[in-house]
């Protein structure tokens, strides 16, 4: 069993690891600037979309604060965005909406060059050079007054009327793609309802919580401080990336995020949260009868739409189910191994974390941890405990001094 | 009024050491010398180390890591950081200018916490190959000699009644 102090130290190290995995404020601001520019272009007076006040909002991990840098610096960050139109021309089908957005993007010299092949639901803009990200833009329709409903949902302390946050999207594989003009018959999606649910799960004290509105504002504020659940999700995603780098059948982020959020028990420190999540997340995978498949299938329900199964692809690609369970079992082994190094010394902890999370990220995390200790001592907030000589938060302050001697040999 | 030479008696040093570390072993010879040996755990997840403090009047204070010996080194390094001697595992804990440390200070408020802090940063150094604890580099041989002389004079003068 870990002592309270050991848990604290593990959490401090994992917090540093999380910070290392997170995208930087500069990257964040650059991405916001880029998608705002896209939004402005779509909304400009000469745009056919202008009457419907299109707006670009982040969804997915960018909104949830669970982004992780790719393992390879050269790989792209994925930024998921919603392009929201308040209403539409009554004659427009899904196909019309999709192409009005696509055409408007193509009317811009630069975006035309950046536009990737048309996706099933999205348009993708590939930013190159030093930007290293691409943006998936999901065209959608909301009703007038949506913004107010959204803001209310994110400022209420209770989770209610989540279904009102649903938006209508286009999907070129639906039967009514090219003829249905009533958008209430289109596919429904609820990324903001999901976000609202996620923050309900993640927030330790909802009444005291920093304004959630900031998370969904057109310009969400960059937050260095993360909630324990956000850090846990980042750590899990990194572990997944290390195990399945580049494998298209790796466990998808929405499954990891959903199971972790369902399992999370509002633990206030990261290591406790991680231990609990890793050991119980699979309990939230159900089995349900599927008429389509004529058998019981694995079911990971969307918390804001019980009918949606995030694991629906596991039927078509059984490898994905296998990979998920393989990942979870590796994760359990790795976490147990790391915890088992307690009392052997930080070099053993460091060593045990390198394969699961990457040498560079782990080394950086320990470096930052060490720098923090030095800063704490310089600031007079580092203590030493009686009996054990343990450096940390307990005991009397360590007087400032200078280690002498050669630094490197 | 504060006396200029309020050197702390070794009896007091010994008492505070025993008080802070009941499991430590002390040996004192009048006001001439004091040694203290104790196991410490420098951070909650750290390994256990045995430290030895050795004070001899007019010769200053020395701190060693007795166990484990030899201490593990960071990948690619041949010597420990911030030590007077890697084979002896004698730690350099403060800048020897008599301001950071002198015999008017308690070991339990200075040398001992710094030694524990050294161990903590030592473990992190093994992890990263970088010393994160800050500090000052050794000066040249000439400066070293000059400082040594100074320290001796100071030690002698501060011990005069």
């Amino acid at each position: 069993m870990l002592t309270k102090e050991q848990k604290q130290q593990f959490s401090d190290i994992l917090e540093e690891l999380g910070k290392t995995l997170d995208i930087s404020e500069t990257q964040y601001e650059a991405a916001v600037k880029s998608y705002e520019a896209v939004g402005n272009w779509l909304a400009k007076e000469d745009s056919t979309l202008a009457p419907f006040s299109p707006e670009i909002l982040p969804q997915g991990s960018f909104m949830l604060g669970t982004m992780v840098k790719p393992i390879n610096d050269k790989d792209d960050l994925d930024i998921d965005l919603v392009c929201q139109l308040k209403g539409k021309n009554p004659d427009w089908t899904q196909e019309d909406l999709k192409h009005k957005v696509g055409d408007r993007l193509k009317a811009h010299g630069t975006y035309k060059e950046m536009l990737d092949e048309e996706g099933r639901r999205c348009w993708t803009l590939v930013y190159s050079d030093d930007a290293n990200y691409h943006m998936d833009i999901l065209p959608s329709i909301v009703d007038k007054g949506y913004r107010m409903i959204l803001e209310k949902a994110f400022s209420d302390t209770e989770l209610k009327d989540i279904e009102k946050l649903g938006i209508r999207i286009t999907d070129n594989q639906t039967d009514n793609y090219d003829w249905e003009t009533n958008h209430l018959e289109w596919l429904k999606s609820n990324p903001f309802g999901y976000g609202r649910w996620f923050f309900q799960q993640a927030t330790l004290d909802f009444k005291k919580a920093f304004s959630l509105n900031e998370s969904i504002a057109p310009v969400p504020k960059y937050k260095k401080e993360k909630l324990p659940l956000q850090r846990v999700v980042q750590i899990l995603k990194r572990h997944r990336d290390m195990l399945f780098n580049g494998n298209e059948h790796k466990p998808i982020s929405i499954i990891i995020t959903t199971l972790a959020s369902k399992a999370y028990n509002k633990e206030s420190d990261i290591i406790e949260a991680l231990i609990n999540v890793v050991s119980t997340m699979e309990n939230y995978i159900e089995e349900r009868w599927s008429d389509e498949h004529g058998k019981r299938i694995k079911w990971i329900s969307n918390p804001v739409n019980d009918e949606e199964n995030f694991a629906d692809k596991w039927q078509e690609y059984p490898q994905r189910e296998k990979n998920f369970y393989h990942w979870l079992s590796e994760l359990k082994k790795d976490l147990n191994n790391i915890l088992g190094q307690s009392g052997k010394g930080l070099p053993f902890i460091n060593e045990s974390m390198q394969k699961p999370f990457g040498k560079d990220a782990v080394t950086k995390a320990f470096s930052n941890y060490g720098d923090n200790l030095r800063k704490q001592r310089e600031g007079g907030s580092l203590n030493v405990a009686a009996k054990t000589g343990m450096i940390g938060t307990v005991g009397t302050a360590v007087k400032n001094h200078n280690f002498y001697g050669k630094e490197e040999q | 009024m504060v006396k200029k030479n309020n050197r702390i008696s070794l009896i007091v040093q010994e008492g505070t050491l025993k008080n802070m570390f009941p499991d430590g072993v002390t040996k004192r010879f009048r006001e001439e010398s004091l040694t203290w040996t104790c196991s410490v755990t420098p951070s909650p997840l750290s390994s256990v180390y045995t430290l030895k403090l050795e004070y001899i009047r007019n010769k200053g204070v020395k701190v060693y890591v007795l166990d484990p010996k030899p201490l593990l080194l960071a990948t690619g390094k041949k010597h420990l950081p911030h030590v007077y001697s890697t084979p002896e595992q004698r730690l350099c804990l403060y800048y020897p200018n008599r301001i950071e440390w002198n015999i008017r200070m308690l070991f339990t408020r200075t040398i001992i916490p710094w030694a524990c802090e050294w161990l903590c940063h030592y473990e992190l150094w093994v992890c990263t190959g970088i010393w994160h604890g800050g500090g000052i580099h050794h000066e040249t041989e000439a400066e070293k000699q000059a400082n040594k002389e100074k320290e001796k004079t100071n030690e002698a003068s501060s011990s005069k009644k």
Side-chain angles (χ1 to χ4, degrees):
Chain A
M1 262 317 273
L2 296 177
T3 64
K4 193 175 142 249
E5 287 77 23
Q6 288 177 326
K7 281 183 192 166
Q8 183 60 52
Q9 195 176 17
F10 261 131
S11 293
D12 291 346
I13 292 166
L14 291 176
E15 170 69 16
E16 288 308 325
L17 178 65
K19 280 185 190 160
T20 305
L21 303 176
D22 214 337
I23 60 167
S24 71
E25 185 162 7
T26 320
Q27 274 175 308
Y28 186 92
E29 298 299 345
V32 170
K33 228 174 136 186
S34 297
Y35 75 66
E36 279 189 314
V38 176
N40 290 340
W41 173 248
L42 297 178
K44 237 173 140 185
E45 298 128 40
D46 61 339
S47 162
T48 48
L49 306 170
F52 312 108
S53 328
E55 194 172 22
I56 302 259
L57 297 167
Q59 59 153 330
S61 57
F62 201 84
M63 173 200 191
L64 305 178
T66 55
M67 294 277 282
V68 285
K69 279 184 203 152
I71 292 172
N72 188 338
D73 282 344
K74 285 177 197 136
D75 288 344
D76 268 11
L77 280 173
D78 246 325
I79 297 169
D80 294 325
L81 303 168
V82 174
C83 166
Q84 228 171 51
L85 267 65
K86 283 126 204 111
K88 68 172 182 68
N89 182 316
D91 298 334
W92 287 358
T93 62
Q94 295 181 50
E95 189 177 20
D96 290 325
L97 173 64
K98 179 80 169 288
H99 286 113
K100 295 285 175 201
V101 173
D103 291 346
R104 179 62 188 170
L105 289 171
K106 284 171 197 160
H108 187 286
T110 318
Y111 295 149
K112 189 182 173 201
E113 297 304 313
M114 290 158 59
L115 207 57
D116 206 6
E117 261 174 61
E118 183 178 343
R120 182 171 157 187
R121 296 175 180 177
C122 291
W123 290 107
T124 302
L125 287 176
V126 182
Y127 289 75
S128 53
D129 304 327
D130 40 271
N132 272 338
Y133 45 79
H134 61 259
M135 295 186 168
D136 286 334
I137 300 169
L138 178 76
S140 73
I141 302 285
V142 296
D143 294 322
K144 285 205 176 66
Y146 181 85
R147 193 53 195 248
M148 267 174 60
I149 297 171
L150 187 62
E151 274 166 25
K152 191 167 176 303
F154 273 72
S155 55
D156 265 353
T157 54
E158 277 163 65
L159 197 61
K160 56 183 179 197
D161 296 338
I162 285 299
E163 68 284 355
K164 284 189 188 160
L165 297 178
I167 60 175
R168 299 291 169 168
I169 63 171
T170 76
D171 181 332
N172 62 21
Q173 286 179 27
T174 50
D175 299 334
N176 59 9
Y177 181 67
D178 56 359
W179 55 266
E180 182 60 67
T181 55
N182 177 6
H183 68 272
L184 297 177
E185 297 297 325
W186 299 2
L187 205 59
K188 201 172 173 178
S189 178
N190 199 348
F192 303 107
Y194 184 92
R196 178 62 187 80
W197 171 84
F198 175 83
F199 283 110
Q200 186 78 19
Q201 300 299 108
T203 308
L204 298 171
D205 185 342
F206 215 82
K207 284 180 185 129
K208 280 191 217 155
F210 46 87
S211 166
L212 289 174
N213 272 314
E214 289 177 4
S215 305
I216 48 135
V219 194
K221 286 205 181 93
Y222 179 79
K223 286 201 192 74
K224 265 199 187 115
E225 304 305 321
K226 291 277 158 85
L227 294 162
L229 178 59
Q230 290 172 312
R231 287 288 184 231
V232 166
V233 170
Q234 287 180 314
I235 289 164
L236 298 185
K237 283 165 71 172
R238 174 61 171 212
H239 187 273
R240 180 265 325 260
D241 290 345
M242 288 299 294
L243 196 59
F244 293 101
N245 200 11
N247 183 335
E248 60 169 323
H249 295 308
K250 67 183 180 188
I252 55 176
S253 295
I254 189 76
I255 286 183
I256 294 175
T257 307
T258 302
L259 292 176
S261 310
K262 285 181 177 180
Y264 177 61
N265 232 340
K266 308 233 179 222
E267 293 87 357
S268 56
D269 76 39
I270 301 174
I271 192 72
E272 278 192 357
L274 187 64
I275 292 170
N276 166 38
V277 163
V278 170
S279 60
T280 63
M281 65 192 290
E282 65 191 304
N283 301 345
Y284 297 89
I285 303 175
E286 305 163 59
E287 274 192 10
R288 288 194 196 175
W289 174 262
S290 159
D291 282 336
E292 189 193 338
H293 301 93
K295 60 170 184 176
R296 293 173 71 81
I297 62 165
K298 297 282 186 197
W299 195 284
I300 300 169
S301 70
N302 179 346
V304 294
N305 176 14
D306 189 57
E307 295 309 303
E308 186 179 351
N309 178 14
F310 287 141
D312 59 348
K313 291 287 190 316
W314 288 7
Q315 299 313 308
E316 196 181 335
Y317 307 103
Q319 190 60 38
R320 293 195 184 181
E321 182 177 335
K322 268 195 197 158
N323 284 349
F324 176 83
Y325 284 102
H326 172 61
W327 168 68
L328 195 55
S329 102
E330 288 298 304
L331 182 60
K332 284 178 183 174
K333 264 193 267 173
D334 289 334
L335 183 58
N336 272 332
N337 182 35
I338 293 166
L339 296 173
Q341 308 304 316
S342 318
K344 290 188 194 168
L346 301 177
F348 289 85
I349 311 258
N350 168 68
E351 174 73 29
S352 67
M353 288 171 67
Q354 291 197 356
K355 190 180 70 81
F357 302 115
K359 190 171 191 286
D360 289 352
V362 171
T363 304
K364 184 112 195 289
F366 276 89
S367 288
N368 293 340
Y369 180 78
D371 290 341
N372 287 345
L373 283 186
R374 189 193 68 243
K375 283 178 205 154
Q376 283 172 32
R377 185 245 296 149
E378 287 167 353
S381 65
L382 192 66
N383 294 332
V384 61
K387 268 187 179 173
T388 55
M390 209 171 265
I391 297 293
T393 49
V394 182
T396 49
V398 178
K399 201 168 167 282
N400 204 12
H401 67 119
N402 290 289
F403 288 110
Y404 186 52
K406 284 181 190 139
E407 227 169 275
E408 296 277 337
Q409 291 195 35
Chain B
M1 288 302 287
V2 181
K3 271 195 278 173
K4 262 187 184 172
N5 283 327
N6 44 355
R7 177 184 189 282
I8 292 177
S9 149
L10 293 189
I11 300 175
V12 173
Q13 295 280 22
E14 186 182 27
T16 51
L17 279 166
K18 281 188 160 169
N19 195 30
M20 186 168 175
F21 297 94
D23 301 333
V25 176
T26 56
K27 245 166 71 183
R28 182 177 59 82
F29 179 65
R30 294 195 211 140
E31 286 297 316
E32 296 308 310
S33 67
L34 175 68
T35 62
W36 168 86
T37 313
C38 189
S39 292
V40 297
T41 308
S43 86
L45 298 168
S46 286
S47 169
V48 180
Y49 299 84
T50 308
L51 285 175
K52 183 186 182 188
L53 176 145
E54 192 182 87
Y55 174 79
I56 299 171
R57 189 163 185 169
N58 296 339
K59 284 195 174 163
V61 63
K62 294 174 179 174
V63 179
Y64 303 90
V65 180
L66 290 192
D67 185 69
K69 201 171 186 174
L71 285 164
L72 203 69
L73 299 178
T75 314
K77 306 280 177 177
K78 291 193 174 74
H79 301 276
L80 292 167
H82 294 283
V83 291
Y84 286 99
S85 151
T86 294
E88 285 184 51
Q89 302 192 161
R90 184 186 158 203
L91 317 182
C92 304
L93 300 172
Y94 60 95
Y95 186 66
N97 63 352
R98 291 166 288 118
I99 295 168
E100 288 197 9
W101 188 80
N102 58 58
I103 196 59
R104 293 185 291 274
M105 297 174 182
L106 282 171
F107 295 136
T108 51
R109 303 301 298 269
T110 51
I111 303 291
I112 303 299
W114 297 341
C116 296
E117 192 196 354
W118 185 96
L119 287 168
C120 207
H121 280 293
Y122 153 75
E123 284 199 351
L124 290 162
W125 170 80
V126 178
C127 295
T128 66
I130 300 164
W131 180 261
H132 301 284
I136 296 168
H137 291 260
H138 265 313
E139 64 286 84
T140 62
E141 277 306 308
E143 286 169 322
K144 212 184 211 171
Q145 208 50 44
N147 264 321
K148 232 181 186 175
E149 294 303 316
K150 257 195 222 163
E151 206 179 1
K152 267 188 195 164
T153 350
N154 171 62
E155 187 66 30
S157 71
S158 71
S159 61
K160 272 179 203 156
K161 297 273 157 81

